Amino acid sequence: MARPQQRYRGVRQRHWGSWVSEIRHPLLKTRIWLGTFETAEDAARAYDEAARIMCGPRARTNFPAADAGAGAASSSFLSAALVEKLHRFNLASVQAAQRQREAAAAAAAAASTAMPLGDAGAAAAPPSAAERGGRFLEEQHVEQMIEELLDSNFSMEICY
């Protein structure tokens, strides 16, 4: 029994009928909850707004940018706190990508000018800045998720 409704990117319907939207951050490998909406179109417009914040004008969206401009002028589908969070994630991903490029360039430069040191020199290499930054982002994200769960009215029973 397939639903005849149109499907939107980043939108799904709860079994009781409400629509939810979330967006996945490709570089940081995280999902960002955008909210619960009364209609699929509202949820899709929230996704589009988040995608444009995270990926710029070339983002893959549900509606063309001209349609989004008319709807976005009257009201935003995302809260100010969520928009700020999306901007932080975007900045973190830009910085992570830059660190990856720098690490790759440094590795390429080191490989081209490397002198054979044997296995002893390679085994004692400290963790790179990109690895340390990734761990920090992951710890920060976990702490943020815990805060959001504690702030919400969500309750859960954990059984062992």
Side-chain angles (χ1 to χ4, degrees), residues 96 99 103 125-140:
R99 283 192 300 270
S128 68
E131 290 171 343
R132 288 191 306 271
R135 272 191 240 121
F136 173 74
L137 284 175
E138 183 177 328
E139 291 171 5
Q140 184 180 18

mmCIF file of all heavy atoms in Angstrom, residues 96 99 103 125-140:
data_model
loop_
_atom_site.group_PDB
_atom_site.id
_atom_site.type_symbol
_atom_site.label_atom_id
_atom_site.label_comp_id
_atom_site.label_asym_id
_atom_site.label_seq_id
_atom_site.Cartn_x
_atom_site.Cartn_y
_atom_site.Cartn_z
ATOM 1 N N ALA A 96 37.158 21.890 8.608
ATOM 2 C CA ALA A 96 37.594 20.497 8.508
ATOM 3 C C ALA A 96 38.105 20.190 7.104
ATOM 4 O O ALA A 96 39.134 19.524 6.935
ATOM 5 C CB ALA A 96 36.451 19.550 8.877
ATOM 6 N N ARG A 99 41.494 21.767 6.744
ATOM 7 C CA ARG A 99 42.532 20.986 7.437
ATOM 8 C C ARG A 99 42.886 19.725 6.652
ATOM 9 O O ARG A 99 44.053 19.339 6.598
ATOM 10 C CB ARG A 99 42.067 20.629 8.845
ATOM 11 C CG ARG A 99 42.148 21.781 9.828
ATOM 12 C CD ARG A 99 41.966 21.314 11.258
ATOM 13 N NE ARG A 99 40.681 20.678 11.490
ATOM 14 C CZ ARG A 99 39.581 21.311 11.877
ATOM 15 N NH1 ARG A 99 39.617 22.609 12.078
ATOM 16 N NH2 ARG A 99 38.460 20.650 12.063
ATOM 17 N N ALA A 103 46.506 18.912 5.304
ATOM 18 C CA ALA A 103 47.174 17.664 5.686
ATOM 19 C C ALA A 103 47.590 16.875 4.448
ATOM 20 O O ALA A 103 48.689 16.299 4.407
ATOM 21 C CB ALA A 103 46.258 16.831 6.576
ATOM 22 N N ALA A 125 54.835 8.839 14.972
ATOM 23 C CA ALA A 125 54.187 10.069 14.513
ATOM 24 C C ALA A 125 53.022 10.428 15.431
ATOM 25 O O ALA A 125 52.191 9.581 15.741
ATOM 26 C CB ALA A 125 53.692 9.893 13.087
ATOM 27 N N PRO A 126 52.956 11.674 15.892
ATOM 28 C CA PRO A 126 51.842 12.107 16.754
ATOM 29 C C PRO A 126 50.567 12.248 15.907
ATOM 30 O O PRO A 126 50.644 12.349 14.688
ATOM 31 C CB PRO A 126 52.309 13.464 17.276
ATOM 32 C CG PRO A 126 53.246 13.961 16.238
ATOM 33 C CD PRO A 126 53.921 12.752 15.663
ATOM 34 N N PRO A 127 49.398 12.269 16.545
ATOM 35 C CA PRO A 127 48.160 12.441 15.776
ATOM 36 C C PRO A 127 48.145 13.801 15.083
ATOM 37 O O PRO A 127 48.633 14.789 15.635
ATOM 38 C CB PRO A 127 47.050 12.344 16.824
ATOM 39 C CG PRO A 127 47.702 12.484 18.144
ATOM 40 C CD PRO A 127 49.141 12.121 17.968
ATOM 41 N N SER A 128 47.601 13.823 13.880
ATOM 42 C CA SER A 128 47.575 15.072 13.111
ATOM 43 C C SER A 128 46.556 16.040 13.695
ATOM 44 O O SER A 128 45.683 15.673 14.475
ATOM 45 C CB SER A 128 47.236 14.773 11.655
ATOM 46 O OG SER A 128 45.893 14.326 11.580
ATOM 47 N N ALA A 129 46.653 17.283 13.270
ATOM 48 C CA ALA A 129 45.710 18.310 13.725
ATOM 49 C C ALA A 129 44.299 17.974 13.270
ATOM 50 O O ALA A 129 43.333 18.230 13.977
ATOM 51 C CB ALA A 129 46.140 19.674 13.197
ATOM 52 N N ALA A 130 44.164 17.375 12.089
ATOM 53 C CA ALA A 130 42.831 17.007 11.589
ATOM 54 C C ALA A 130 42.190 15.940 12.483
ATOM 55 O O ALA A 130 40.995 15.995 12.773
ATOM 56 C CB ALA A 130 42.930 16.503 10.158
ATOM 57 N N GLU A 131 42.996 14.974 12.939
ATOM 58 C CA GLU A 131 42.456 13.931 13.824
ATOM 59 C C GLU A 131 42.030 14.527 15.165
ATOM 60 O O GLU A 131 40.982 14.193 15.694
ATOM 61 C CB GLU A 131 43.495 12.838 14.047
ATOM 62 C CG GLU A 131 43.762 11.991 12.814
ATOM 63 C CD GLU A 131 44.948 11.056 13.011
ATOM 64 O OE1 GLU A 131 45.740 11.278 13.948
ATOM 65 O OE2 GLU A 131 45.075 10.116 12.225
ATOM 66 N N ARG A 132 42.866 15.418 15.725
ATOM 67 C CA ARG A 132 42.499 16.056 16.994
ATOM 68 C C ARG A 132 41.248 16.905 16.829
ATOM 69 O O ARG A 132 40.371 16.902 17.675
ATOM 70 C CB ARG A 132 43.656 16.904 17.512
ATOM 71 C CG ARG A 132 44.819 16.091 18.035
ATOM 72 C CD ARG A 132 45.808 16.974 18.773
ATOM 73 N NE ARG A 132 46.280 18.100 17.994
ATOM 74 C CZ ARG A 132 47.338 18.095 17.197
ATOM 75 N NH1 ARG A 132 48.040 16.990 17.057
ATOM 76 N NH2 ARG A 132 47.692 19.164 16.527
ATOM 77 N N GLY A 133 41.145 17.656 15.728
ATOM 78 C CA GLY A 133 39.972 18.494 15.470
ATOM 79 C C GLY A 133 38.716 17.668 15.299
ATOM 80 O O GLY A 133 37.643 18.039 15.758
ATOM 81 N N GLY A 134 38.837 16.503 14.627
ATOM 82 C CA GLY A 134 37.680 15.628 14.435
ATOM 83 C C GLY A 134 37.157 15.086 15.747
ATOM 84 O O GLY A 134 35.953 15.019 15.966
ATOM 85 N N ARG A 135 38.086 14.703 16.641
ATOM 86 C CA ARG A 135 37.666 14.206 17.954
ATOM 87 C C ARG A 135 36.969 15.299 18.752
ATOM 88 O O ARG A 135 35.965 15.064 19.402
ATOM 89 C CB ARG A 135 38.867 13.672 18.738
ATOM 90 C CG ARG A 135 39.128 12.217 18.446
ATOM 91 C CD ARG A 135 40.145 11.646 19.417
ATOM 92 N NE ARG A 135 41.251 11.177 18.603
ATOM 93 C CZ ARG A 135 42.497 11.573 18.689
ATOM 94 N NH1 ARG A 135 42.860 12.443 19.591
ATOM 95 N NH2 ARG A 135 43.410 11.101 17.893
ATOM 96 N N PHE A 136 37.491 16.527 18.665
ATOM 97 C CA PHE A 136 36.883 17.645 19.383
ATOM 98 C C PHE A 136 35.468 17.907 18.871
ATOM 99 O O PHE A 136 34.550 18.090 19.658
ATOM 100 C CB PHE A 136 37.735 18.909 19.227
ATOM 101 C CG PHE A 136 37.088 20.128 19.810
ATOM 102 C CD1 PHE A 136 37.017 20.304 21.186
ATOM 103 C CD2 PHE A 136 36.523 21.091 18.991
ATOM 104 C CE1 PHE A 136 36.412 21.423 21.730
ATOM 105 C CE2 PHE A 136 35.912 22.209 19.524
ATOM 106 C CZ PHE A 136 35.863 22.373 20.897
ATOM 107 N N LEU A 137 35.296 17.905 17.535
ATOM 108 C CA LEU A 137 33.959 18.124 16.960
ATOM 109 C C LEU A 137 33.002 17.031 17.397
ATOM 110 O O LEU A 137 31.841 17.307 17.712
ATOM 111 C CB LEU A 137 34.037 18.179 15.435
ATOM 112 C CG LEU A 137 34.591 19.467 14.848
ATOM 113 C CD1 LEU A 137 34.715 19.339 13.344
ATOM 114 C CD2 LEU A 137 33.713 20.639 15.207
ATOM 115 N N GLU A 138 33.476 15.789 17.427
ATOM 116 C CA GLU A 138 32.611 14.684 17.823
ATOM 117 C C GLU A 138 32.196 14.838 19.291
ATOM 118 O O GLU A 138 31.030 14.690 19.615
ATOM 119 C CB GLU A 138 33.330 13.356 17.623
ATOM 120 C CG GLU A 138 32.463 12.164 17.940
ATOM 121 C CD GLU A 138 33.190 10.860 17.656
ATOM 122 O OE1 GLU A 138 34.018 10.811 16.738
ATOM 123 O OE2 GLU A 138 32.935 9.906 18.381
ATOM 124 N N GLU A 139 33.138 15.149 20.178
ATOM 125 C CA GLU A 139 32.814 15.335 21.589
ATOM 126 C C GLU A 139 31.856 16.506 21.780
ATOM 127 O O GLU A 139 30.897 16.419 22.548
ATOM 128 C CB GLU A 139 34.092 15.569 22.397
ATOM 129 C CG GLU A 139 34.974 14.338 22.497
ATOM 130 C CD GLU A 139 36.331 14.651 23.108
ATOM 131 O OE1 GLU A 139 36.551 15.803 23.536
ATOM 132 O OE2 GLU A 139 37.178 13.744 23.124
ATOM 133 N N GLN A 140 32.097 17.595 21.046
ATOM 134 C CA GLN A 140 31.230 18.768 21.141
ATOM 135 C C GLN A 140 29.825 18.414 20.657
ATOM 136 O O GLN A 140 28.840 18.829 21.263
ATOM 137 C CB GLN A 140 31.811 19.894 20.302
ATOM 138 C CG GLN A 140 31.046 21.194 20.400
ATOM 139 C CD GLN A 140 31.678 22.269 19.533
ATOM 140 O OE1 GLN A 140 32.455 21.979 18.642
ATOM 141 N NE2 GLN A 140 31.322 23.506 19.798
#
